[in-house]
């Protein structure tokens, strides 16, 4: 998927386990499988829960936004950039994350899957 040139993107391979990750998928997607350590705020709740992000995001650090394939996360990334935050859309989302062999865990901590 190609988005406007105004949306910063980052590849899964460029992320380390120390990078801050915001998952904007819905609850059922999160419970089935997500990146360990990611902050979960569904896009449908994002504006109402924006304060949670500002509390947990690293001071002066980048927020890497991820969803299933990149569409929802691109929208949230654009919003964050408009708010003056350093944010990047994770190219290809959790589908690429899983395909790259990155760990995916379910809500109970067991191995998960991307739906």
């Amino acid at each position: 998927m190609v988005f406007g040139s105004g949306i910063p993107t980052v590849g899964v391979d460029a992320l380390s386990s120390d990078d801050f990750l915001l998952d904007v998928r819905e609850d059922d997607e999160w419970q089935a499988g997500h990146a360990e350590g990611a902050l979960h705020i569904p896009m449908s709740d994002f504006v109402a829960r924006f304060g949670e992000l500002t509390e947990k995001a690293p001071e002066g650090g980048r927020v890497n936004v991820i969803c299933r394939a990149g569409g929802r996360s691109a929208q949230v990334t654009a919003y964050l950039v408009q708010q003056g935050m350093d944010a990047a859309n994770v190219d290809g989302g959790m589908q690429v994350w899983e395909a790259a062999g990155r760990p995916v865990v379910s809500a109970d901590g067991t191995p998960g899957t991307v739906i």
Side-chain angles (χ1 to χ4, degrees):
M1 223 175 263
V2 176
F3 298 100
S5 61
I7 308 241
T9 61
V10 62
V12 166
D13 58 339
L15 295 173
S16 76
S17 60
D18 294 331
D19 287 319
F20 186 81
L21 195 62
L22 170 66
D23 190 322
V24 296
R25 297 174 302 145
E26 295 303 316
D27 289 334
D28 61 330
E29 295 172 288
W30 170 265
Q31 290 171 7
H34 58 272
E36 192 169 13
L39 174 63
H40 178 230
I41 303 176
M43 183 176 160
S44 59
D45 296 338
F46 189 75
V47 174
R49 293 176 58 190
F50 182 71
E52 289 177 47
L53 173 63
T54 58
E55 287 176 13
K56 297 191 177 173
E59 186 79 28
R62 184 174 64 195
V63 175
N64 300 289
V65 188
I66 197 166
C67 67
R68 182 172 183 264
R72 291 171 285 181
S73 55
Q75 293 175 56
V76 171
T77 299
Y79 176 80
L80 293 175
V81 168
Q82 288 173 351
Q83 303 308 308
M85 295 184 76
D86 182 6
N89 184 32
V90 179
D91 193 27
M94 285 300 297
Q95 290 178 324
V96 171
W97 181 276
E98 185 177 48
R102 294 289 188 106
V104 176
V105 296
S106 67
D108 65 7
T110 59
T113 188
V114 176
I115 60 168

